[in-house]
C-alpha cells in the first residue's frame, strides 16, 4: 500500500505540465448609467489519492474530479447597491459520482444607504449568504494557505448547510477607515425539514426548533496593523508591502436546533476567535499565518461538542509557497456528576468517536498570483477528516472502505471508523485553481 502511495507521488510532475497561464475577468458594458456587470469563471480540478480508500481497504483510491466549477456574476449600480450570483457544480465526479448538478450557491443583493465606497460602509444584504463562521471560512476559495478550506475543527451536525451557505438578512461592512470589519444577521438555520422523515410528528413531538426560532450569527474583525477590509471576502496571500495583523471572532447560535446524545432538545452554539498575520518580507516574499479556536456546543454527550483548533503557516517567496497546517478537535468529556448511570453509559459510547488530529504539508505554485495556482499537498489524517478513508462514505461513494485490520487472524477486515484508536492514513492532493 505504501508503495502505491509512492507511485502516486511520481505522477505529480506530470500533472504540473498541464497548468497554463491564467486569463482575466470579463467586464460587460451596460447601457445603464452607473451600473456594472462582471462575469468570472472559476475551475478547480483535483487529483486525490487516499491510502486504504478502495473498497477492500488494502489499496489506495484514485480520483480525478472537479472540486468547483463556478460562474460568478456581480456588479454595482447607483453607487448604493451591490449584487452577486454564483452558480457552482461542486465535487463533480468525486468517487465516480456524477449525479450532482449545478446549484445557485450564492445569490444576494446589498444596499448601502451612504454609498459603497469609503472608510465606513454599511450594507444590508439579503439572499443566500455565506455564514459568518470565522475569518478562515470567510476567505476566497482561490486564496487559502492550504489547497482547500480547513473544516475539521468545527462541527455543524447533520451538514444541512451546503458549502456553509444559508438564507438570511444581514448587516455587513467596515468602519473607522477600514480598521473594523463586521457582518451579522438572522438566518434560516436548522429546521424540521432537516430531520429524517417521520421524526417530527403532528403537534411538534420530536421536532427540532419547535418554535421555529431563526439562527443568529455574526463576525467582527479588528485590524491592529494595516487593513484587510473593503471587500466581500478575505484572503490569505496579499502580495502587498504593508503588514497586516488582525484579530476576529465569529459566533453562531440557534435555540433548540439539535438533539443531544439522550434525545433531548439542545441549543446549537459556536464561538470562533482567530488571529491572522500577513508579514511582507522584502518585495518578493510574505509570511502568512492564521489560527482559529472553535468552541463547539452541540449538546451534552455529543461527539460534536468540544474544542477545535485550526492553524496554518505559509511562506511565499516569489512564485512558490511551502506551507504546513494542523486541524485538531477534541470532544468534551462526560461529566459523571451531572449524568445518571444510564446517561453516562450513552455518553461514554458517543464522545471521542469523531475527534481529529490532521496534519498537512504542501507547496503552492503560483502562475498568476491567486488567479492561477497549483497546490501539491500531503496529509496525515487521524480520526475525522475531509480526506483519507474518513471522507469515503456510503452516501458519497457508495461504500465504506474496510481500511482496518482484522481483530483476529481469521476474522474479516473492518470498515473504517473515525476513532483515534485506529491508525492514521495518508492522502495526496493535487489542486489546480484557475479564475478568469
Amino acid at each position: 500500500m505504501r508503495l502505491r502511495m509512492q507511485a502516486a507521488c511520481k505522477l505529480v510532475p506530470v500533472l504540473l505540465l498541464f497548468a497554463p497561464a491564467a486569463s482575466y475577468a470579463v467586464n460587460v458594458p451596460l447601457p445603464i448609467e452607473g451600473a456594472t456587470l462582471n462575469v468570472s469563471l472559476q475551475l478547480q480540478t483535483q487529483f486525490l489519492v487516499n491510502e486504504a480508500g478502495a473498497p477492500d481497504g488494502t489499496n489506495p483510491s484514485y480520483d480525478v474530479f472537479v472540486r468547483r466549477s463556478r460562474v460568478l456574476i456581480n456588479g454595482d449600480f447607483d453607487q448604493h447597491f451591490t449584487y452577486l450570483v454564483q452558480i457552482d457544480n461542486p465535487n463533480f465526479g468525486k468517487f465516480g459520482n456524477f449525479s450532482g448538478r449545478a446549484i445557485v450557491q450564492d445569490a444576494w443583493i446589498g444596499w448601502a444607504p451612504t454609498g459603497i465606497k469609503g472608510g465606513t460602509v454599511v450594507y444590508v444584504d439579503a439572499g443566500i449568504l455565506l455564514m459568518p463562521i470565522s475569518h478562515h471560512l470567510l476567505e476566497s476559495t482561490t486564496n487559502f494557505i492550504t489547497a482547500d478550506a480547513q473544516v475539521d475543527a468545527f462541527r455543524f451536525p447533520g451538514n444541512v448547510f451546503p458549502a456553509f451557505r444559508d438564507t438570511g438578512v444581514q448587516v455587513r461592512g467596515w468602519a473607522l477607515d477600514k480598521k473594523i470589519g463586521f457582518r451579522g444577521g438572522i438566518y434560516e438555520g436548522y429546521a424540521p425539514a432537516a430531520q429524517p422523515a417521520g421524526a417530527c410528528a403532528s403537534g411538534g413531538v420530536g421536532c427540532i426548533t419547535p418554535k421555529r426560532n431563526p439562527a443568529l450569527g455574526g463576525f467582527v474583525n479588528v485590524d491592529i496593523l494595516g487593513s484587510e477590509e473593503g471587500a466581500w471576502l478575505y484572503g490569505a496571500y496579499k502580495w502587498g508591502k504593508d503588514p497586516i495583523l488582525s484579530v476576529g471572532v465569529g459566533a453562531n447560535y440557534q435555540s433548540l436546533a439539535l438533539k443531544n446524545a439522550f434525545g433531548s432538545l439542545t441549543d446549537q452554539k459556536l464561538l470562533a476567535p482567530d488571529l491572522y498575520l500577513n508579514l511582507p518580507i522584502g518585495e518578493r516574499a510574505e509570511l502568512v499565518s492564521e489560527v482559529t479556536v472553535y468552541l463547539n456546543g452541540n449538546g451534552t454527550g455529543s461527539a460534536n461538542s468540544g474544542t477545535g483548533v485550526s492553524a496554518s503557516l505559509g511562506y511565499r517567496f516569489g512564485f512558490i509557497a511551502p506551507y504546513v497546517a494542523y486541524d485538531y478537535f477534541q470532544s468534551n468529556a462526560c461529566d459523571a456528576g451531572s449524568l445518571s448511570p444510564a446517561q453516562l453509559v450513552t455518553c461514554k459510547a458517543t464522545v471521542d468517536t469523531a475527534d481529529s488530529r490532521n496534519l498537512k504539508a504542501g507547496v503552492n505554485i503560483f502562475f498568476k498570483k491567486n488567479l492561477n495556482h497549483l497546490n501539491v499537498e500531503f496529509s496525515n489524517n487521524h480520526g475525522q477528516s475531509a480526506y483519507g478513508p474518513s471522507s469515503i462514505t456510503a452516501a458519497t461513494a457508495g461504500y465504506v472502505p474496510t481500511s482496518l485490520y482484522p481483530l483476529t487472524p481469521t476474522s474479516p477486515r473492518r470498515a473504517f471508523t473515525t476513532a483515534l484508536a485506529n491508525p492514521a492514513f495518508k492522502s495526496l492532493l493535487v489542486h489546480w485553481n484557475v479564475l478568469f
Side-chain angles (χ1 to χ4, degrees):
M1 187 182 303
R2 305 288 178 179
L3 293 176
R4 295 187 182 97
M5 285 293 292
Q6 293 173 5
C9 296
K10 295 179 181 178
L11 294 175
V12 173
V14 177
L15 295 172
L16 293 176
L17 298 176
F18 292 93
S23 301
Y24 299 90
V26 177
N27 300 315
V28 181
L30 297 176
I32 304 173
E33 185 177 355
T36 64
L37 188 152
N38 309 300
V39 179
S40 301
L41 303 177
Q42 181 186 9
L43 183 64
Q44 293 184 340
T45 305
Q46 292 190 351
F47 169 66
L48 177 62
V49 183
N50 286 315
E51 180 186 6
D56 63 7
T58 63
N59 293 282
S61 61
Y62 301 87
D63 286 285
V64 180
F65 62 99
V66 179
R67 175 66 179 92
R68 296 177 178 93
S69 51
R70 293 177 168 180
V71 178
L72 186 147
I73 302 170
N74 72 298
D76 310 311
F77 58 93
D78 195 30
Q79 293 299 305
H80 289 278
F81 294 90
T82 297
Y83 64 91
L84 183 144
V85 176
Q86 184 165 247
I87 299 171
D88 191 13
N89 190 21
N91 294 318
F92 190 70
K94 187 174 185 180
F95 305 132
N97 188 340
F98 296 93
S99 60
R101 286 296 182 268
I103 61 172
V104 178
Q105 183 152 279
D106 299 277
W108 54 264
I109 186 167
W111 171 49
T114 61
I116 62 176
K117 297 180 179 180
T120 297
V121 172
V122 178
Y123 279 99
V124 178
D125 298 333
I128 304 174
L129 305 172
L130 192 59
M131 298 168 66
I133 297 172
S134 66
H135 183 287
H136 177 69
L137 269 297
L138 292 173
E139 291 177 353
S140 168
T141 57
T142 69
N143 195 2
F144 296 121
I145 295 176
T146 50
D148 213 331
Q150 295 177 249
V151 297
D152 296 327
F154 69 95
R155 307 294 165 86
F156 279 98
N159 193 28
V160 299
F161 307 109
F164 307 114
R165 266 73 170 181
D166 200 358
T167 53
V169 178
Q170 68 179 14
V171 176
R172 173 181 61 89
W174 49 90
L176 301 180
D177 198 23
K178 297 185 179 180
K179 298 296 287 185
I180 296 178
F182 56 87
R183 67 184 73 194
I186 300 174
Y187 308 89
E188 180 70 12
Y190 285 92
Q195 296 179 268
C200 183
S202 177
V205 177
C207 297
I208 61 172
T209 63
K211 298 181 180 179
R212 295 294 285 113
N213 291 322
L216 305 175
F219 175 77
V220 176
N221 196 57
V222 179
D223 297 306
I224 299 172
L225 295 176
S227 176
E228 56 174 342
E229 310 303 332
W232 175 43
L233 298 173
Y234 297 106
Y237 292 98
K238 304 298 187 186
W239 305 83
K241 298 180 179 180
D242 299 321
I244 296 174
L245 175 64
S246 69
V247 292
V249 61
N252 290 264
Y253 171 82
Q254 189 175 10
S255 174
L256 304 179
L258 302 169
K259 290 187 177 182
N260 63 20
F262 320 118
S264 300
L265 289 170
T266 188
D267 299 339
Q268 180 273 322
K269 296 173 285 187
L270 177 63
L271 185 67
D274 72 79
L275 176 69
Y276 168 81
L277 172 67
N278 183 288
L279 183 63
I281 302 173
E283 296 184 354
R284 298 193 60 200
E286 60 181 311
L287 178 74
V288 185
S289 183
E290 189 169 22
V291 179
T292 307
V293 176
Y294 294 98
L295 305 177
N296 301 266
N298 295 305
T300 303
S302 171
N304 295 306
S305 287
T307 301
V309 179
S310 176
S312 55
L313 174 67
Y315 179 77
R316 180 187 63 81
F317 183 79
F319 68 92
I320 191 167
Y323 60 86
V324 293
Y326 189 69
D327 287 283
Y328 166 96
F329 180 87
Q330 178 62 52
S331 58
N332 295 333
C334 301
D335 183 4
S338 64
L339 300 176
S340 69
Q343 289 176 328
L344 187 60
V345 171
T346 301
C347 181
K348 289 183 176 181
T350 305
V351 301
D352 296 332
T353 59
D355 295 338
S356 298
R357 308 286 193 272
N358 302 321
L359 176 67
K360 296 183 177 73
V363 61
N364 198 342
I365 303 169
F366 297 97
F367 305 106
K368 185 64 176 178
K369 296 184 178 181
N370 301 310
L371 295 178
N372 188 352
H373 62 92
L374 186 142
N375 293 71
V376 180
E377 182 175 286
F378 298 88
S379 299
N380 189 68
N381 312 292
H382 196 191
Q384 182 164 308
S385 175
Y387 300 97
S390 176
S391 65
I392 304 172
T393 66
T396 59
Y399 68 93
V400 176
T402 53
S403 306
L404 304 179
Y405 287 110
L407 290 175
T408 65
T410 58
S411 60
R413 294 183 64 87
R414 295 171 293 142
F416 177 83
T417 66
T418 54
L420 291 180
N422 299 323
F425 293 91
K426 296 176 176 59
S427 60
L428 165 68
L429 173 66
V430 180
H431 169 96
W432 176 23
N433 170 84
V434 179
L435 176 66
F436 56 91

